């Protein structure tokens, strides 16, 4: 299995695992973040009841004790045709681990307690049915995301990001957002190497989650960049991996915790829009600022804060704050102001001193301005055409962005192995890093390249006392 695939599946973290006994009380004691987030206070408001969280990835072992009572039947999209499925094809049990972190029952303190233990999990697998070569296909992830949106999932989690972006995946995410779902994904574990991150982090409107340590700083292995929305614990978490409990680290787990937070807010406020849920999550993030803007490229708006999000008042805006409002196109016609009437004009527009005189000077000025504008546009067009050799450019194709960087396997930025693609002539195998809403080059409506341009990559071989848990009689 290639390095890129290992990063996707989280297999690299397995080598760092310190195994602990299955179903041991020590498992719960290792969930240091439960006390850090004061989850007992959060659970007095809700435990996630009434909310379905779709897990789109390697599948979920629905028989695993922590999650067996919360999981719906699994659907497999790995061949492009939906069908019933069983099991988790990731050797690190990536999907199962994420599902437990979202909705694990805790097994009366002997297992792993989920952030939203009363939420339901909808497992949707799009990985190939082979642990050794479980290379995900983004087009199949797109089918799973659409299915989740159409079947009542309020939160859609992709714990493992796709290896590259496609138009179908981007369109599916936008479809889910339009169906009032919150889409959450991880930033990837490439912080010490290429620092690449791929879809859905690179798709506007999604919550892209980086990993943090116990002290709230960024986990060194976490990818970072302008697309980051929130930070969440990634380091030394007890999870179900390699068919047993162990201590592991991954941003995939960070994303699962944030998905659990979104489920709690939706459960507490079932009539809220996805945009309102996202708004309170980013506005109340620990370490955020009063202006509610991104703090940095490492944790975005700050570190997740479930208690704060649940206590926040309903936002007045229902829109997704991660999708900038559309701005008028330059040169677009605007509605003329209504004529103002006054007494004694018989309902006609009152004449102003400026309009009572001759209009000839203004006509001449208008003609002169038009000539200047047309001349300038012609010059720009000729320059652009000469630089692009007559190919695609900003004027002929608004979706084209000169100087984009591409890389086999995907990511954002211009790190090791990146090269600039020829304008209008993309390589056969590339991932186009889609600027996110927090990125300086972001353009609303700028979506992914056609699937036909892409070919999939080749297959490759601190403990805290009395950890918190919800009371049985809480809703």
């Amino acid at each position: 299995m290639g390095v890129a695939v290992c990063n996707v599946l989280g297999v690299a973290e397995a080598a760092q695992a310190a195994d602990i006994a299955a179903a041991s009380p020590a498992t719960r004691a290792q969930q240091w973040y439960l006390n850090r987030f004061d989850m007992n206070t959060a659970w007095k408001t809700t435990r996630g009841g009434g909310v379905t969280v779709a897990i789109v990835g390697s599948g979920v072992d629905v028989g695993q004790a922590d999650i067996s009572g919360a999981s719906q039947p699994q659907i497999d999209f790995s061949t492009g045709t939906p069908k019933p499925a069983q099991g988790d094809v990731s050797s690190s049990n990536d999907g199962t681990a994420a599902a437990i972190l979202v909705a694990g029952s805790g097994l009366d303190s002997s297992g792993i307690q989920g952030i939203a233990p009363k939420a339901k999990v909808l497992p949707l697998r799009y990985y190939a049915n082979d642990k050794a070569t479980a290379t995900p296909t983004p087009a199949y992830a797109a089918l799973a995301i659409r299915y989740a949106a159409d079947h009542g999932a309020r939160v859609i989690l992709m714990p493992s990001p796709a290896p590259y972006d496609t138009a179908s995946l981007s369109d599916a995410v936008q479809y889910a957002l339009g169906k009032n779902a919150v889409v959450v994904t991880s930033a990837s574990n490439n912080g010490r190497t290429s620092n690449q991150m791929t879809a859905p982090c690179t798709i506007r409107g999604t919550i892209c989650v980086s990993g943090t340590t116990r002290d709230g700083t960024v986990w060194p292995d976490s990818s970072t960049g302008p697309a980051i929305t929130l930070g969440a614990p990634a380091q030394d978490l007890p999870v179900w991996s390699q068919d047993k409990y162990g201590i592991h680290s991954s941003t995939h787990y960070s994303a699962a915790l944030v998905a659990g937070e979104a489920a709690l807010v939706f459960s507490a406020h079932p009539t809220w829009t996805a945009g309102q849920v996202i708004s309170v999550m980013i506005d109340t993030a620990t370490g955020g600022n009063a202006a509610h803007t991104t703090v940095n490229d490492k944790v975005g708006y700050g570190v997740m804060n479930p208690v704060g999000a649940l206590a926040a008042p309903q936002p007045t805006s229902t829109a997704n704050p991660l999708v900038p409002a559309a701005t008028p196109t330059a040169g677009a016609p605007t509605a003329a102001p209504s004529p103002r009437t006054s007494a004694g004009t018989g309902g006609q527009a009152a004449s102003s001193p400026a309009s009572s005189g001759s209009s000839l000077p203004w006509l001449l000025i208008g003609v002169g301005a038009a000539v200047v504008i047309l001349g300038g546009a012609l010059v720009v067009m000729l320059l652009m055409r000469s630089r692009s050799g007559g190919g695609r450019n900003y004027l002929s194709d608004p979706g084209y962005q000169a100087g984009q960087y591409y890389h086999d396997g995907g990511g954002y930025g211009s790190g090791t192995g990146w090269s600039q693609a020829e304008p209008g002539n993309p390589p056969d195998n590339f991932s186009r890093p889609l600027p996110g809403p927090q990125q300086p080059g972001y353009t609303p409506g700028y979506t992914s390249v056609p699937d036909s341009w892409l070919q999939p990559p080749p297959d490759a071989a601190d403990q805290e006392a009395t950890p918190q848990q919800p009371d049985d009689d809480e809703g």
Side-chain angles (χ1 to χ4, degrees), residues 68-136:
S68 61
S71 183
Q72 299 179 18
Q74 179 162 248
I75 306 295
D76 179 18
F77 293 85
S78 65
T79 63
T81 302
K83 61 190 177 195
Q86 298 291 330
D88 186 336
V89 299
S90 164
S91 59
S92 60
N93 304 122
D94 197 68
T96 305
I100 295 172
L101 290 171
V102 171
S105 66
L107 299 177
D108 297 326
S109 298
S110 64
I112 296 172
Q113 182 68 63
I115 291 291
K118 287 297 183 181
K120 294 296 183 182
V121 167
L122 174 60
L124 304 175
R125 189 172 79 197
Y126 77 99
Y127 280 53
N129 192 18
D130 185 343
K131 287 194 175 186
T133 58
T135 304

Side-chain angles (χ1 to χ4, degrees), residues 152-190:
R154 304 301 302 275
V155 182
I156 301 175
L157 169 65
M158 279 186 69
S160 303
Y164 52 90
D165 187 15
T166 69
S168 62
L169 180 57
S170 180
D171 290 346
V173 169
Q174 299 305 322
Y175 178 80
L177 296 176
K179 298 280 282 188
N180 203 34
V182 171
V183 180
V184 183
T185 190
S186 71
S188 303
N189 304 324
N190 300 317

Side-chain angles (χ1 to χ4, degrees), residues 162-245:
Y164 52 90
D165 187 15
T166 69
S168 62
L169 180 57
S170 180
D171 290 346
V173 169
Q174 299 305 322
Y175 178 80
L177 296 176
K179 298 280 282 188
N180 203 34
V182 171
V183 180
V184 183
T185 190
S186 71
S188 303
N189 304 324
N190 300 317
R192 294 182 190 269
T193 55
S194 64
N195 198 37
Q196 297 171 17
M197 61 179 68
T198 56
C201 266
T202 53
I203 300 174
R204 62 177 184 153
T206 60
I207 297 180
C208 178
V209 187
S210 65
T212 62
T213 62
R214 292 172 182 264
D215 61 7
T217 60
V218 68
W219 178 51
D221 287 311
S222 174
S223 296
T224 58
I228 298 298
T229 310
L230 289 171
Q235 186 181 45
D236 298 338
L237 307 186
V239 295
W240 181 258
S241 181
Q242 298 178 309
D243 299 322
K244 57 189 173 185
Y245 291 108

